[in-house]
Amino acid sequence: MATRLEDPRVVEFDVRTDEMLVNMGPQHPSTHGVLRLVLRTDGEVVSEVQPHIGYLHRCAEKIGENLTPRQWIPYTDRMDYLAGMNMNLGWSLTVEKLLRYELPEKARHLRVIICELGRIASHLVGMGAYGLDLGTFSPFLYAFREREKILDLFEEACGARLTYSYICPGGATADLPKGWLQKCEKFLDEFAPVIDEYHALLTTNAIFIKRTAGIGILPAEMAIDYGCSGPVLRGSGVDFDLRRDGEPRYTSMYDGYAFEVVVQKDGHYPRDHKYPPVPKEAVLGDCWHRFYVRMLEVVQSMDLVRQGIEFYSRSKGDWGTPIKLNQKLPKGEAYLETEAPRGQMGFYIVSDGSSIPWRVRARSSSFCNLSVVSELCRGCLIADVPAIVGSLDIVMGEIDR
Amino acid sequence: MIGAVIDWSAFLFYLFAAVACGFALAVVLSNHIVHMAFYLTLALGATAGLFLLTGSQFVGAMQFMIYVGGTLVLLVFGVMLTAQHRFVSIRTRAGEWITAAVLGGALLMLLGYVAWAVPDWHAAPPAHVPPEQVESTSRLGLALTGVRMDGGSGYALPFVIVSVHLLVVLIGAGYLARARVRVSDAAARKEMP
Amino acid sequence: MTPWLGPITVSHYLTVGAVLFVAGVVCMAVKRNALGVLMGVELVLNGANVNFVAFGSPLLRSTSLGIDGQLLALFVIVLAAAEAAVALAIALNFYNNFATIDVDRADELKG
Amino acid sequence: MLPGVQVGQPVAHRLAYLWRAPAWGRPLLVERSSWDRCRRGLSIEGNDVVEFFEATLNWPSWLAWTAVALIQCFLLINLVAGGALFFIWLERKVAGRIQDRLGPTRVGGKFGWLQTLADGIKLLAKEDIVPKEADPFLFRMAPYVSFTASFCGWLALPFADNWVGQRLNVAVFFIVAIVGLEVFGVILAGYASGSKWSLFGAMREAAQVVSYEVPLGLCIVVPVMIAGSMDLVTIGNKQAGYFTNWFIFHDPAAFVVFWVYFTCAVASVNRAPFDLAEAESELVAGFHTEYSGLRWSFFFMAEYGSMLLVSALAAILFFGGWHGPFPIISQGLVPALAAMTGASVDSPVLVYLANLAGCANLIFKAVIGVTVMMWVRWTLPRLRIDQVLTTCLKYCVPLAALCFLAEVWFQLYPHTNPMPLNRLQWGAPRASIEVREGWLPLSPVSPDDVQEAQLTHSQEHRG
């Protein structure tokens, strides 16, 4: 059978150069922390990529088996350190599931507000850093400028800017301070026009489209096979979002909220009419779509925060009482998955009846998302490797734990 | 009086000549292919300086542009493509060196003798040269299109022949180093049962 | 009059050209790396060019070649570029087929 | 005579006829000829200063020439090095402002003027490391090769009328050729570093610069064609007067070709979005991954030097060089000052002042060009290597070639003629052929002259 040029396995080459093994990382500007990618290259063409992980391993799960659930909260912050609030939430919900704890209404809305803000902050970093991976520096700082405002809000609520330990089993450590909601609304009003700036600098930029559209195409089946989740999965056109499709214990948090899962249906994204249309070079599942899904999720989260503010200010009661530090856990196990900014974040807890869990386990989304790298990077150019890895938006703290 | 000794054009000539000859010898004597390419660059750059000294500014700039900037970059590119460890320095046998040195020395002596054999060639240069005789760029350009104001023959046909030749070379080099289709090793490995 | 103190004449340039030429010839003869041989060719062509330009310079000799010397040098430069491109393509092809760049091992008459 | 094609008289006349001056051609400013010093081969400009040294200070001739050469080198090297200091500061300020930051604010007062100097001192104090796998000789040489190439281009660049290190009649060509040599340092650095990332950077640089030299060369031919000379002083002086005389506004082809030139210039000096050789997100730092300290800063001086050089070249080729948007030198400043002070129009002081203003004008334009490059760098993502080459071969080369052809058309058929096609008469040559200055040194030539020249030439040869 004659090999045709369109065959994806074909690598075109001009001059035979010997294959070269190149270490991209663990100290490399665009591997998002301490990821090490071993590239087998033939000139500029990458024939194989192997991710090597474990440089940030801190035994978080083992530590969790020696601390009470509330004591382990700060360690969850350090998993996906760009979305600490969402990590707190996942763990808290899991523990609450084990405890069969019913959350007060106000705490539910507080958690929605905080977690969606956390999602915005996380996507802002993902988006800015993606610009950095493609060689443009300014959007990164524009993104950080806005993220800073979110961090200010968080700081006001919980006193910390990166590792919050704010949401905890039973509710949150404190209620939102006075005037916080107004500040939050002000932020949202200011932030809305800035998104157009990002679209101008990145989404619709000709060079950006050239660099991302049609690159690193992840078919929906492959995404499902590898267990990808979050924007990576939805970027491939799979309509799946745990906020809608998850367990009732999690989805009930979003009861009463109106939102639409960001995924391409019939060639259109919800709300993409507000933005310049999908470029014709873009193929569903490529880097551009993953990026675009994140951009739209930012808008979606802004909507959710606005709704949450409304619900929160209308609801009565308190923000929940955190469980005791050494709360006895019922014998049994609980597993719950939440939709973190990077995808499906699952926590598993097994208790033998003491206050310290017998087994703690985290299922991180970045780990599964990273595992497709070697599939996506086969036959691409070296410059595409950061583009592809960046579009997966991985956080090593979550992978290595 | 030292002022009589320092004639700048002579000084520059000797400078460029020394650089050109010295690095040409270094090209011969060096065994390291990348070093050779570097020395060759310097030698050819100094030759361009010599061209400028004779008033042939266009040829000098051309030497920089095409030779040093184009051909040599191409050469270095080729060197880097093939500069595996075992090919960086391929040693030559001593016998070859001796033969080459004897023959080269003889050739050099012959050429050197010839260079100084004709008295007219080292007679004193003209004291005054009118500028329009030195300024040659436009005359060169016109000569290439076949117009000669000094009555010599034009170069339109050679120019066209060279153009066609370059086109043929372009196609030929592209054909020789053409892209080949190959299945990547990883994919091939996967194919194997 | 010693050549060192007198004015620079055509003969001086011819001497430089001779050195470049001989260096190129020796380089072509002794180098076993195909690209080294190519560099020798470039040196030879440059040696010839120096002569052309020197004979064509009105500054050095009143009965000079005129612009014909420079024109020939130009043709040589352009053709040298073409020659280098082809030679490089051949060298790379050779390297692709034989996995060596040593010309002494290019003694098979098949590709 | 050497073999060649003997072209008959009529064709010669036709060609010369085609190259005659367009009707709107501006009279050329009177230039001092540098050819009286042709005897020395490489003539050194600035003979006023030499005369001053010789006549007033009684210095011997060789010392005067040496002193002048040294002064020129000193000025140029300070321009390049000081320019690098300034531009690195400016880059940080521009980047800061673009990114909603302040940039340097502390060292040297409110605006952080001395930040680069402080960095430079820090770089000087750093350890000079040569990696174990590196080729030490080439590793050490490479930054100097880059810097030398970038610096040499300045030798032929005029700053004002006849303010030039070495006036060459092929100055444009020379500068473009020399700027292309900077790639050598980068390739050597990439190879000699013994690092795979550096090697990738070097390979990319080689491929990129060699291919971008083609459209760059085509682009500079357009203003050269308009001016009829490759001498930058002549090109600059042909744009004297108001900004309407600038070559960028000469015709549409020149306007388009400027943008192609700018793109190619950005690519050939390795600035974003074409900074693939040092793409930090892919290749760590590309060819200078293994460099630190002073050697590393030499690469940066080379980069900023080349940026300023191509911008200055653009200013001369397209934006009137030292001639401002309003007449400064010839029609403006000098007569005005002369009228005010009562001095003669040729007064050296006035000419000097006018040239100084022109020099500042040129540098101002060049700095604007560099600032635009910075603006582009901090706005756009980086292209991929295949896209860079595609941009060159698919867009820049055809566009430049088209502009070249269009410019030929504009040169052959002046706008003054309502029916341009009737110029396309290959009929009888006119009695007297006007030849534009710059194209031919022999101005007005009549067919008789040519015949006579031929005759005398053949007689000379027979005799």
Side-chain angles (χ1 to χ4, degrees), chain C residues 15-102:
Chain C
T15 315
V16 175
V19 173
L20 289 181
F21 184 87
V22 171
V25 169
V26 174
C27 197
M28 278 157 71
V30 300
K31 295 290 172 193
R32 284 170 60 200
N33 190 321
L35 296 164
V37 175
L38 197 55
M39 290 179 197
V41 177
E42 306 295 338
L43 275 178
V44 165
L45 292 173
N46 257 270
N49 258 358
V50 171
N51 291 11
F52 277 130
V53 169
F55 275 122
S57 170
L59 292 174
L60 299 176
R61 218 163 135 253
S62 46
T63 53
S64 69
L65 269 182
I67 60 170
D68 292 302
Q70 295 183 34
L71 277 165
L72 283 177
L74 284 182
F75 280 120
V76 169
I77 289 175
V78 171
L79 290 179
E83 166 260 344
V86 172
L88 199 66
I90 291 173
L92 290 178
N93 228 4
F94 172 61
Y95 178 71
N96 278 346
N97 290 337
F98 293 91
T100 178
I101 198 77
D102 187 349

Side-chain angles (χ1 to χ4, degrees), chain A residues 292-332:
Chain A
Y292 194 53
V293 164
R294 273 187 204 103
M295 291 295 287
L296 292 182
E297 282 192 15
V298 169
V299 183
Q300 179 200 39
S301 294
M302 283 167 66
D303 253 18
L304 285 170
V305 174
R306 279 185 204 280
Q307 295 176 37
I309 290 173
E310 211 184 314
F311 288 134
Y312 178 82
S313 42
R314 272 194 278 142
S315 57
K316 303 272 184 308
D318 67 346
W319 68 91
T321 3
I323 59 168
K324 284 195 308 223
L325 210 56
N326 56 352
Q327 169 101 29
K328 278 267 179 292
L329 301 170
K331 201 167 176 185

Side-chain angles (χ1 to χ4, degrees), chain D residues 286-305:
Chain D
F287 65 92
H288 59 71
T289 305
E290 306 293 339
Y291 281 88
S292 75
L294 198 62
R295 288 180 208 287
W296 177 82
S297 64
F298 262 94
F299 279 122
F300 269 72
M301 270 197 263
E303 176 177 336
Y304 284 94

Side-chain angles (χ1 to χ4, degrees), chain A residues 203 209 213 276-283 288-289:
Chain A
T203 323
I209 291 173
V278 178
K280 49 182 189 305
E281 301 96 320
V283 184
W288 190 88
H289 277 276

